[in-house]
Amino acid sequence: MFLHDPAQELPDDVIDDALEAVRLHLGMDVAYVSEAYPDSVVFRHVSGIDTNNYVQVGRKIPANHIFCNKIAVGDVPCIINDTANIPQIQNLPFVREADVGSFVAVPIGQSRSGYFGMFCCYAHAPRDDISERDIATVSMFAKLTTRSLKQHFDAQHEINALKKQLSRVIQDDSLSIHLQPIVSLSDGRPMAAEALSRFSVHPGLGPEWWFAQAQRSDMQIELEVKAIQLALTHLPEMPAKAYLSVNASPLTVASPLFMDAMQGVPTDRLLVELTEREIIVETPQLMQALTVLRDKRIGIAIDDVGAGYAGLNTIVSLKPDVIKLDRSLVSAIHSCTVKQSLTKAMVHFANEMNAFLVAEGVETEAEHVSLKALGVRLGQGFHYARPAEAAIIARQMRDYSKSNPTLRSVS
């Protein structure tokens, strides 16, 4: 039988197309794919119109009311030209209620995955013209259906395994927070710090991989909120006027779970960076959530501007407090007049929006000098500090003094 949650989505288009094609080819009234359980059968996909409205998607009937299991074990042939001539099936409730006069049916399944069902076409009237060669046609489409189901269940098995792994990560403290300072380019003073996630399990895969898998398995919100909650615990360790920046996708920001995490924190020192793993869609839920954040005096930042999905229209609509210039524009900016022109335009754009512009990925003194000359006021990158354990960065931010204008000692 199909060993999966019945609510899970199947590859509908492929199966529906296969059913319709074989039904029309054979001139049958109805075609269906059933899902077999030990004591019942469920119609999962239906093509055509059952005049008695008996065969409907999602309908569950007792297994002994239909011929599926009898065909699967070989008690009934795959082709029946006239059900009235077969004592074993003529009185089955399904044959009577669905008015089945003839049919061609082939089991579908794959032993390794353990699922089983039936690909069936039937007509209300007896059909002397259907023959053994029609089994080949139905079998071909049944194999196509089996292949689609196998791919679906293999993928679903992988997703379920990912969900278990991610649940363990969330529950077993396998996630920790590193901080990376955001500094003033004029004097190196740390103004804020971005919270970055680190994973103790399979660290070689990197945080981007983990969050991508969370998105694949519908656990994006749970993982991002967990990271934010952990990051917020380090806010009291930071200097009194320094901001903590946390990352969240638009989907997460619009969720009640995220809003619950925002309760009871010193919001006037918090910045939410909208990450761009996909196009930022200005949904009513997101725009309402951003309004709530502003009412709480929580700052809004847009990440990876210049290389991500956010265009200028999106930036204008979202009205961010901070615009983060992507590292692709920052890298070797001192030797590229085009990047310098773009950055100068972004400086003007940010000033017009009354937003701060932060240059990400600053790695050299030459980049620092060029950005400062162009009017960029804030920077983040290895040139100032590498990400490190939150407690270490928070302590160095507190201990900062004018005589030590950078944090290059952080490893």
Side-chain angles (χ1 to χ4, degrees), residues 23 58 98 147 213 223 253-254 275 291 300 327 333 335 344 387 389:
R23 185 184 71 82
R147 190 180 306 118
Q213 303 317 303
L223 186 60
V253 170
T275 56
T291 298
I300 308 297
R327 67 184 66 189
I333 190 173
S335 59
K344 189 180 297 184
E389 293 180 13

Side-chain angles (χ1 to χ4, degrees), residues 276-295:
E276 299 178 272
R277 295 186 181 92
E278 55 190 25
I279 295 174
I280 296 177
V281 180
E282 298 161 41
T283 63
Q285 295 84 355
L286 175 61
M287 302 308 287
Q288 182 180 0
L290 294 181
T291 298
V292 172
L293 294 181
R294 291 190 184 94
D295 290 343

Side-chain angles (χ1 to χ4, degrees), residues 153-393:
F153 288 116
D154 286 349
Q156 193 60 53
H157 177 76
E158 182 182 355
I159 292 298
N160 290 338
L162 274 174
K163 285 186 175 182
K164 290 181 181 179
Q165 190 173 27
L166 286 164
S167 295
R168 288 195 297 269
V169 165
I170 292 172
Q171 296 169 6
D172 298 344
D173 297 326
S174 299
L175 173 64
S176 62
I177 299 298
H178 283 201
L179 296 179
Q180 185 176 34
I182 299 170
V183 306
S184 167
L185 298 194
S186 62
D187 59 10
R189 181 163 46 99
M191 306 294 292
E194 180 181 356
L196 302 169
S197 299
R198 295 294 182 264
F199 296 84
S200 59
V201 288
H202 307 302
L205 295 174
E208 296 244 350
W209 184 88
W210 285 101
F211 283 104
Q213 303 317 303
Q215 186 176 18
R216 280 186 62 206
S217 54
D218 293 328
M219 292 191 66
Q220 179 178 356
I221 294 174
E222 290 89 334
L223 186 60
E224 288 185 4
V225 168
K226 176 65 174 182
I228 290 168
Q229 290 172 328
L230 287 175
L232 291 173
T233 63
H234 297 288
L235 184 55
E237 303 169 5
M238 294 172 57
K241 294 184 179 181
Y243 277 76
L244 175 67
S245 180
V246 297
N247 292 286
S249 64
L251 179 68
T252 295
V253 170
S255 70
L257 198 60
F258 172 81
M259 285 302 173
D260 289 343
M262 294 296 101
Q263 302 299 321
V265 299
T267 53
D268 57 343
R269 294 175 53 209
L270 191 60
L271 187 69
V272 175
E273 287 190 31
L274 288 177
T275 56
E276 299 178 272
R277 295 186 181 92
E278 55 190 25
I279 295 174
I280 296 177
V281 180
E282 298 161 41
T283 63
Q285 295 84 355
L286 175 61
M287 302 308 287
Q288 182 180 0
L290 294 181
T291 298
V292 172
L293 294 181
R294 291 190 184 94
D295 290 343
K296 291 177 174 288
R297 298 173 62 192
I298 296 175
I300 308 297
I302 296 183
D303 201 10
D304 300 332
V305 171
Y309 291 109
L312 295 182
N313 287 337
T314 299
I315 297 172
V316 171
S317 298
L318 298 180
K319 300 181 178 66
D321 303 286
V322 174
I323 298 171
K324 301 193 77 174
L325 200 61
D326 187 75
R327 67 184 66 189
S328 64
L329 289 178
V330 171
S331 178
I333 190 173
H334 55 284
S335 59
C336 181
T337 56
V338 174
K339 291 182 178 181
Q340 292 169 19
S341 297
L342 287 171
T343 300
K344 189 180 297 184
M346 288 304 303
V347 169
H348 177 73
F349 180 68
N351 288 338
E352 288 294 309
M353 291 196 63
N354 197 29
F356 288 100
L357 185 67
V358 178
E360 292 188 289
V362 183
E363 296 190 355
T364 68
E365 179 67 17
E367 291 167 353
H368 164 82
V369 171
S370 182
L371 289 163
K372 182 179 176 182
L374 290 168
V376 180
R377 296 170 58 187
L378 298 170
Q380 178 181 356
F382 290 179
H383 182 63
Y384 312 110
R386 291 179 178 271
E389 293 180 13
I392 295 175
I393 292 294

Side-chain angles (χ1 to χ4, degrees), residues 33-75:
V33 167
S34 65
E35 179 176 355
Y37 291 89
D39 300 318
S40 62
V41 169
V42 180
F43 300 112
R44 289 300 178 198
H45 296 262
V46 177
S47 170
I49 299 176
D50 171 19
T51 55
N52 293 338
N53 291 321
Y54 187 81
V55 180
Q56 300 179 33
V57 173
R59 182 164 193 168
K60 181 179 181 180
I61 64 175
N64 60 3
H65 283 197
I66 196 169
F67 44 69
C68 293
N69 286 350
K70 295 180 182 296
I71 294 173
V73 299
D75 290 343

